[in-house]
Amino acid sequence: MSHKTIQVGVIGTGGMGGRHVHNLTHEVAAAQVVAVMDVDEARRQTVAQACGATYTFADGYELINHPAVEAVLVAAPDRFHAQLTHACIAAGKPVFCEKPLAITAAEAYQVVEAEVAGGRRLVQLGFMREYDPAHVKVKQMMDSGALGKAIGFRGVHINPPSAEPHSLEDVITNSVVHDIHSARWMMGDEIAKVYASYVPGNPNQPETARLVLVHLHYRNGGIGQIECNADSGYGYEVDVQMTGETGTVQTNSLQSALVSRANSRAQWVEEDWLQRFDTAYILEAKSWICSLQSGTPSGPSAWDGYVAMIVVDACVESAQRGQPVTVKIPERPAIYTG
Ligand code: ISE
């Protein structure tokens, strides 16, 4: 691809998709949203008008195969991610797919297989924490070696209040999947065993989850822990702490202004991920478009999406059985190395 503007089609224009359309239109000079797809006709027309897209579709596959669309961003509901991403690979078009890549590891593997068969990376996954300045600082500190070898990971993921309890599968596939990716990325090592436990969202519905705790064992001896609250009742926070052999480093979500008033002190807490990762989403979109211009894929790959799903499946099984589960990750294909 040359250094010209990349013409992007966006599938799904709800909360996350709508933010991606906004960022690509207003924050990424080298991108132009030319097509949008949404099953909600009113929404797709409104979004198309706001971003100046010429083409609107009610069908994602039509958008993917339209000649004006050079690259695709998939922000449809999770259950459609794998099929739509697969269709982009079949059409030979680069695709940015929101996480999760699929809703099972088996389905994610089909995407990896198709990409490997094509012989080049076309897929970038929406694990946006890799673009969050606070996470990047932690990662850089560990990579600098100043704290010695990484031996421990701790991730805390607090979600906004939720009207309905979520299923255990949903919490792990849609939410904990971020922490799983973070746990691999930060440690630079693969997860070898998980032991997950949870508190149901409703005591009478054991298939729901409110609080999930996952213990991790890495291949090279490190350990980790993920805590995910599916319904905090108060706001949104994500933090990570890394333990090295000679020190620790962590993000600090308690950085907002401290207000003292009437014998009390208070701090503002972000509402959701769109607020917390505002900057990360912009940097992520810029990096994706830049990688398409340069022809050098970067960022989280389909392989990362697949491995995260292997760990997701292991966590679900572990939580359901109440037993530790061994994680088996196949050898990484050559297109994902280096
Ligand atoms: C949501 O879909 C996201 O991707 C957010 O980053 C995550 O924090 C949240 O738990 C998910 O539901």
Side-chain angles (χ1 to χ4, degrees):
M1 244 170 226
S2 67
H3 284 248
K4 64 176 189 61
T5 304
I6 307 288
Q7 306 210 317
V8 184
V10 177
I11 301 180
T13 62
M16 198 60 251
R19 174 60 67 90
H20 283 308
V21 170
H22 175 90
N23 286 346
L24 288 168
T25 306
H26 300 288
E27 304 284 351
V28 189
Q32 188 190 0
V33 177
V34 292
V36 293
M37 175 274 162
D38 204 298
V39 286
D40 181 332
E41 185 181 353
R43 187 160 67 191
R44 73 173 174 262
Q45 297 303 347
T46 309
V47 172
Q49 230 174 10
C51 71
T54 314
Y55 308 100
T56 60
F57 298 93
D59 180 286
Y61 300 94
E62 282 181 26
L63 178 145
I64 291 167
N65 292 305
H66 194 282
V69 172
E70 294 179 295
V72 180
L73 189 148
V74 174
D78 295 357
R79 64 186 185 282
F80 301 120
H81 287 185
Q83 282 173 345
L84 290 165
T85 301
H86 206 282
C88 293
I89 295 170
K93 296 189 180 179
V95 50
F96 177 98
C97 179
E98 259 309 328
K99 43 53 61 178
L101 175 57
I103 50 170
T104 63
E107 200 188 23
Y109 185 62
Q110 291 172 6
V111 177
V112 163
E113 264 189 325
E115 202 180 33
V116 168
R120 65 190 173 119
R121 270 191 62 186
L122 285 173
V123 183
Q124 180 171 332
L125 248 285
F127 288 128
M128 78 299 185
R129 293 183 189 177
E130 285 202 26
Y131 301 89
D132 172 51
H135 278 75
V136 170
K137 272 189 198 141
V138 171
K139 174 71 175 155
Q140 283 171 345
M141 180 57 75
M142 292 315 296
D143 288 352
S144 75
L147 304 180
K149 185 180 159 228
I151 56 170
F153 167 92
R154 181 155 191 268
V156 178
H157 188 172
I158 310 281
N159 281 283
S162 170
E164 294 291 325
H166 298 275
S167 75
L168 173 68
E169 274 102 332
D170 194 37
V171 173
I172 296 179
T173 309
N174 180 269
S175 203
V176 176
V177 70
H178 274 297
D179 310 289
I180 290 171
H181 178 72
S182 205
R184 295 181 59 237
W185 172 57
M186 284 284 172
M187 288 287 282
D189 195 6
E190 292 297 1
I191 294 163
K193 190 158 65 171
V194 296
Y195 188 10
S197 44
Y198 70 106
V199 175
N202 176 330
N204 302 319
Q205 295 174 284
E207 71 283 4
T208 63
R210 163 81 191 252
L211 191 60
V212 176
L213 198 62
V214 186
H215 291 274
L216 309 169
H217 285 264
Y218 288 86
R219 274 186 191 166
N220 293 313
I223 55 172
Q225 182 180 310
I226 294 169
E227 180 182 329
C228 179
N229 188 337
D231 172 10
S232 68
Y234 71 87
Y236 185 77
E237 292 184 277
V238 170
D239 275 304
V240 66
Q241 177 177 359
M242 290 296 296
T243 302
E245 282 169 322
T246 60
T248 68
V249 54
Q250 63 192 89
T251 56
N252 180 8
S253 61
L254 298 175
Q255 276 169 340
S256 67
L258 196 58
V259 179
S260 305
R261 201 173 145 262
N263 297 102
S264 75
R265 281 208 177 99
Q267 268 182 311
W268 180 77
V269 176
E270 273 141 341
E271 199 174 310
D272 60 14
W273 48 92
L274 294 178
Q275 278 183 1
R276 165 68 181 83
F277 291 106
D278 185 22
T279 304
Y281 291 126
I282 295 172
L283 297 176
E284 175 187 62
K286 285 187 174 164
S287 171
W288 178 52
I289 294 298
C290 196
S291 77
L292 301 188
Q293 286 188 309
S294 68
T296 310
S298 67
S301 65
W303 179 254
D304 292 317
Y306 167 54
V307 174
M309 286 311 302
I310 296 178
V311 182
V312 161
D313 284 0
C315 288
V316 173
E317 185 188 336
S318 171
Q320 285 171 340
R321 290 186 23 218
Q323 297 286 332
V325 169
T326 301
V327 176
K328 292 189 197 89
I329 301 171
E331 207 175 313
R332 186 189 289 252
I335 68 162
Y336 302 112
T337 56

